[in-house]
Amino acid sequence: MCSGQRVCQPCGNGIHYSPQQLSLRSTRGQRVCQPCGNGIHYSPQQLSLRSTRVSITDLQAHTNYTFEIWAVNGVSPQSPAPQQAVSVTVTTNQAAPSPVSSIQAKDISRHAVSLSWTQPERPNGVILEYEVKYYEKDQNERSYRIMKTVARAADIKGLNPLTIYVFHVRARTAAGYGDFSNPFEFMTNSVPSPIIGDGANSTVLLVSVVGSVILLLVFIAVFVISRRRSKYSKAKQDSDEEKHLHPGVRIYVDPFTYEDPNQAVREFAKEIDASCIKIEKVIGIGEFGEVCSGRLKMPGKREICVAIKTLKAGYTDKQRRDFLSEASIMGQFDHPNIIRLEGVVTKCKPVMIITEYMENGSLDAFLRKNDGRFTVIQLVGILRGIASGMKYLSDMSYVHRDLAARNILVNSNLVCKVSDFGMSRVLEEDPEAAYTTREITGTYQSQGGKIPIRWTAPEAIAYRKFTSASDVWSYGIVMWEVMSYGERPYWDMSNQD
Ligand code: AMP
């Protein structure tokens, strides 16, 4: 800023600007221009600039700004002539939106909920979509689901009853996703929504009736078809039909119905190259050999901790078959409360089964080690997880037969997973089993067939009626084990008692 021939000087505070020397106004969307307020910063400063350059920071994203630049000299404040300003309008780029802050739930039922939320306080652009992330509270974020929607609402289905879910919502603009909202929690109902009577929904009623008729026809068709099949590979073929007729419903296939059980292993378990596995230490002794912890690094995947079950040297063909049958069974399951099979090593020795690693080992020992340290809610959370895994198994028509705290594994997040899928075959194979079950003296009866007496339902002990209902009995014993921090069922009473 110069006056006459003198050297340039800053003007100081004696000069007055009307309305101001440099003014900024913004337009957001369709709104009228507003003065920008104090949130914006100028470098080197807003007023009394001597150079023709100023940097402005802390502007809002996706907003129109009009800048007016006034040139003033020493007489400007006294000049009666209107002052001339240069104005320039710019639009700032879009940015990621601020987090969604208010989430509401309505129409909560056993398996579904309708969520709605308000737009982020600062959308910072055009919201292209919202992403809803949700998971069961006691599973943490280890297994979450994602749903995307352009609306500010979503119908979330397929939830488990009486379960606490955690939801987070975030918005996306052309600049990317904003941060997730704070967690929003709620619990699903235990009462089914009414189908008939007050509150009944006619669409639900219609769908239910049509669904039931279709289901009935499907059952009749399955029954008629399955009667015509030969005995060999019956289970496998039935399950294929089931899959075909009920898309999405999977039925467990007993690997022992395969003429060649190796075929079942190939079908249900991934062969892993032994060079991908690093064995670190022995963590337990299984029925067929040592159980170790270690690491698995598959090409293109990140390294993970795994448990490695080995088949001890000198095994017979039958032992190898029995050992690998557990992998063929486990490989058919995919549930957060069932131990996950990573794969098998069968092409070299030792033969190995690789599963996810459960840092806290088996539940019975874990409870005894932590006697009295958990809240009732945590203990019930443990039981809820086991129940969820067992429900999945029964939905797949799999009967476990050996549900007990010792066969539940616990990871570092206290998530419990059902394991040990070796028992389902033991009694089937033992011709003496009906007899031995009546001659009970040990913890597990020997003479071939072994039954965990204290965990087994009376009808299963008496006449080998193992069903999902007898698994429920065992679940009751597990409930007792958990709430008593791993006490032995029936304390020191004998098996006979
Ligand atoms: P099992 O043969 O399945 O009864 O395993 C024997 C022992 O090895 C168990 O009692 C556990 O202590 C340990 N174990 C088995 N599988 C795992 C696993 N996936 N993670 C951690 N420990 C395991």
Side-chain angles (χ1 to χ4, degrees):
M1 190 167 299
C2 300
S3 61
Q5 298 308 310
R6 280 189 286 149
V7 181
C8 276
Q9 296 287 336
C11 300
N13 294 332
I15 292 169
H16 300 283
Y17 310 89
S18 176
Q20 66 212 56
Q21 186 183 14
L22 178 115
S23 74
L24 275 100
R25 298 183 192 171
S26 67
T27 331
R28 239 204 226 211
Q30 299 309 310
R31 283 194 275 151
V32 182
C33 273
Q34 302 279 338
C36 297
N38 293 330
I40 287 163
H41 296 101
Y42 309 89
S43 175
Q45 70 240 18
Q46 183 181 10
L47 304 177
S48 306
L49 288 160
R50 282 187 296 159
S51 69
T52 54
R53 184 182 291 266
V54 64
S55 297
I56 301 153
T57 53
D58 300 321
L59 300 177
Q60 293 184 10
H62 196 52
T63 304
N64 291 333
Y65 284 90
T66 301
F67 301 88
E68 290 179 355
I69 301 150
W70 301 77
V72 293
N73 61 22
V75 298
S76 294
Q78 283 80 39
S79 169
Q83 296 180 27
Q84 290 293 314
V86 180
S87 88
V88 55
T89 299
V90 294
T91 305
T92 49
N93 284 344
Q94 297 195 34
S98 64
V100 169
S101 55
S102 149
I103 305 177
Q104 272 152 11
K106 62 178 172 105
D107 302 336
I108 300 173
S109 68
R110 269 157 63 89
H111 299 292
V113 64
S114 296
L115 287 186
S116 61
W117 53 89
T118 49
Q119 179 169 284
E121 197 184 326
R122 279 177 289 106
N124 291 340
V126 179
I127 303 270
L128 300 175
E129 68 177 3
Y130 292 93
E131 190 178 87
V132 184
K133 177 167 89 170
Y134 59 103
Y135 47 88
E136 293 182 22
K137 188 173 182 189
D138 63 359
Q139 301 283 324
N140 270 316
E141 291 190 48
R142 282 174 53 80
S143 61
Y144 60 81
R145 279 179 269 175
I146 290 279
M147 183 179 182
K148 297 186 190 233
T149 167
V150 287
R152 275 188 283 108
D155 290 333
I156 314 282
K157 300 190 174 124
L159 305 178
N160 292 323
L162 262 189
T163 305
I164 301 176
Y165 280 89
V166 182
F167 290 86
H168 302 263
V169 180
R170 66 178 178 175
R172 181 168 74 83
T173 64
Y177 280 108
D179 285 339
F180 273 115
S181 62
N182 286 331
F184 171 77
E185 292 181 10
F186 83 93
M187 192 183 215
T188 45
N189 280 342
S190 59
V191 188
S193 44
I195 290 184
I196 295 172
D198 285 352
N201 175 328
S202 57
T203 318
V204 173
L205 188 61
L206 187 67
V207 170
S208 310
V209 172
V210 173
S212 309
V213 171
I214 292 175
L215 217 64
L216 192 67
L217 291 175
V218 166
F219 277 131
I220 293 169
V222 170
F223 181 72
V224 170
I225 294 166
S226 64
R227 292 280 300 225
R228 292 187 188 154
R229 300 281 170 189
S230 65
K231 197 165 175 241
Y232 163 66
S233 77
K234 180 174 179 295
K236 184 174 183 302
Q237 289 180 356
D238 281 356
S239 89
D240 287 347
E241 284 153 15
E242 287 279 356
K243 277 184 211 163
H244 180 65
L245 294 167
H246 308 270
V249 177
R250 289 182 51 218
I251 301 292
Y252 152 78
V253 181
D254 181 353
F256 287 89
T257 59
Y258 282 67
E259 193 175 30
D260 172 14
N262 289 320
Q263 173 61 28
V265 179
R266 283 193 292 274
E267 196 161 313
F268 298 121
K270 188 167 64 189
E271 180 71 29
I272 293 179
D273 195 300
S275 65
C276 301
I277 299 162
K278 227 187 294 168
I279 297 182
E280 285 173 345
K281 64 170 190 244
V282 177
I283 53 171
I285 301 291
E287 194 188 334
F288 296 95
E290 286 174 341
V291 182
C292 305
S293 63
R295 291 174 177 277
L296 172 67
K297 172 77 185 80
M298 298 283 277
K301 295 209 175 144
R302 67 184 176 85
E303 189 175 73
I304 54 167
C305 292
V306 286
I308 303 151
K309 284 189 172 186
T310 56
L311 176 60
K312 58 180 172 255
Y315 55 80
T316 62
D317 262 4
K318 180 174 177 310
Q319 281 170 327
R320 183 181 190 274
R321 237 182 7 247
D322 288 350
F323 175 71
L324 286 174
S325 72
E326 185 174 15
S328 312
I329 296 169
M330 231 189 293
Q332 297 181 47
F333 304 140
D334 177 17
H335 188 275
N337 296 104
I338 304 290
I339 199 84
R340 191 183 64 249
L341 176 75
E342 296 294 344
V344 291
V345 177
T346 62
K347 302 228 159 95
C348 62
K349 287 181 184 168
V351 175
M352 295 185 262
I353 297 178
I354 317 296
T355 65
E356 66 180 306
Y357 180 60
M358 302 292 281
E359 294 82 353
N360 280 310
S362 56
L363 178 61
D364 60 337
F366 176 71
L367 287 169
R368 289 196 274 269
K369 207 166 72 193
N370 292 284
D371 195 352
R373 290 206 194 137
F374 299 121
T375 62
V376 170
I377 295 288
Q378 281 176 309
L379 295 175
V380 172
I382 286 174
L383 288 170
R384 200 211 65 80
I386 302 169
S388 177
M390 290 306 294
K391 175 175 185 307
Y392 173 83
L393 293 182
S394 91
D395 286 346
M396 288 207 42
S397 305
Y398 178 81
V399 179
H400 190 289
R401 300 181 182 218
D402 194 11
L403 176 60
R406 67 181 165 276
N407 290 331
I408 304 293
L409 292 167
V410 189
N411 72 10
S412 54
N413 291 324
L414 273 196
V415 176
C416 287
K417 308 202 180 197
V418 180
S419 81
D420 226 311
F421 299 97
M423 184 68 175
S424 56
R425 67 182 184 275
V426 172
L427 287 174
E428 296 291 60
E429 286 193 346
D430 175 18
E432 303 268 71
Y435 170 76
T436 55
T437 55
R438 293 193 178 86
E439 301 280 313
I440 297 152
T441 53
T443 307
Y444 282 86
Q445 171 61 26
S446 55
Q447 296 200 10
K450 292 175 178 177
I451 292 189
I453 302 301
R454 288 159 203 267
W455 284 263
T456 303
E459 74 277 13
I461 296 174
Y463 46 92
R464 300 200 304 158
K465 190 170 188 312
F466 284 93
T467 59
S468 289
S470 60
D471 274 354
V472 171
W473 176 287
S474 308
Y475 180 77
I477 308 294
V478 171
M479 288 175 81
W480 190 89
E481 289 186 278
V482 169
M483 300 315 286
S484 66
Y485 283 94
E487 288 238 31
R488 184 169 165 72
Y490 311 100
W491 297 285
D492 51 4
M493 284 164 76
S494 72
N495 277 354
Q496 195 60 57
D497 290 343

